Amino acid sequence: MSTSPEDREPNDRARDAEGARAADDAPATGAEPSFTPQEGTGTEPSFAPREDSGAEAAAPRGEGEAPAEPGPGGALSAETLALTALVLLAVTVFSGQLLQLFTTMVLIGDQPVPVDQVTQFSIQVIISGLSAAVAALVAGISLLMTRAGTRPWARWVATTALIVSLLLVLLAVVTYILMPAGTEMQQPPF
């Protein structure tokens, strides 16, 4: 008794070679078709992928491990805080006061400056530095709140905002150090 079909010889190697070539030419999709009939469809074969094939079979998830899908947003999510840090950073950068004050302090050098003007400069430097520090704080909190489901752009925005705002805080400190001491300007006699 033979297990081969009636029209085929068990030792027919030419037909086996054709089958091997056809199997090599078939596209590799990672999922193998199942030829078992599905319930309610009659006896037609199903070409649906098997459940145990593909990437899921290669990397099974452990118990209690959730897929890395984006989590829900919200008022206090990492994404929201990243965007808030970006807006605070934009306010600091586009006001232009910090860069302008730094160049002013470099250009003034040792020249006498009235006390009132030095006071005004120092207040502007402190406000710009605090604005940059708040942006750095919010970006840092956003990075601390990231988890597996956090969208990648939120991490990039928060990291960028943190780096740039820390550089602006450093610039504010250097500007404050470069600030000259104020001198009382004497009224010229008439």
Side-chain angles (χ1 to χ4, degrees):
M1 177 170 227
S2 170
T3 57
S4 65
E6 283 107 14
D7 63 340
R8 182 170 169 224
E9 289 287 316
N11 296 327
D12 189 8
R13 297 191 191 274
R15 191 161 196 157
D16 289 340
E18 285 177 23
R21 274 194 303 262
D24 289 341
D25 293 340
T29 60
E32 297 176 18
S34 169
F35 294 101
T36 60
Q38 300 222 349
E39 293 180 33
T41 61
T43 59
E44 296 178 14
S46 169
F47 295 99
R50 293 191 319 196
E51 294 179 25
D52 61 353
S53 64
E56 295 168 32
R61 283 184 273 204
E63 286 187 34
E65 186 177 329
E69 294 179 7
L76 294 177
S77 66
E79 290 87 356
T80 304
L81 290 175
L83 290 176
T84 303
L86 185 66
V87 169
L88 288 171
L89 181 63
V91 168
T92 305
V93 170
F94 290 133
S95 69
Q97 290 181 351
L98 196 54
L99 293 173
Q100 181 183 7
L101 289 169
F102 176 73
T103 56
T104 303
M105 293 307 126
V106 169
L107 293 175
I108 286 177
D110 293 335
Q111 296 177 7
V113 180
V115 175
D116 296 339
Q117 200 170 12
V118 170
T119 304
Q120 182 183 7
F121 287 158
S122 65
I123 289 172
Q124 288 177 341
V125 167
I126 290 171
I127 289 174
S128 296
L130 285 176
S131 175
V134 168
L137 179 68
V138 172
I141 291 172
S142 174
L143 285 174
L144 288 176
M145 290 181 66
T146 59
R147 56 183 190 275
T150 302
R151 292 167 180 84
W153 62 262
R155 290 185 183 122
W156 301 333
V157 168
T159 303
T160 304
L162 181 65
I163 291 169
V164 173
S165 58
L166 286 176
L167 288 174
L168 288 174
V169 169
L170 181 66
L171 184 67
V173 169
V174 169
T175 303
Y176 194 79
I177 291 171
L178 289 176
M179 198 163 302
T183 59
E184 289 292 332
M185 300 302 278
Q186 295 180 0
Q187 297 281 337
F190 289 105

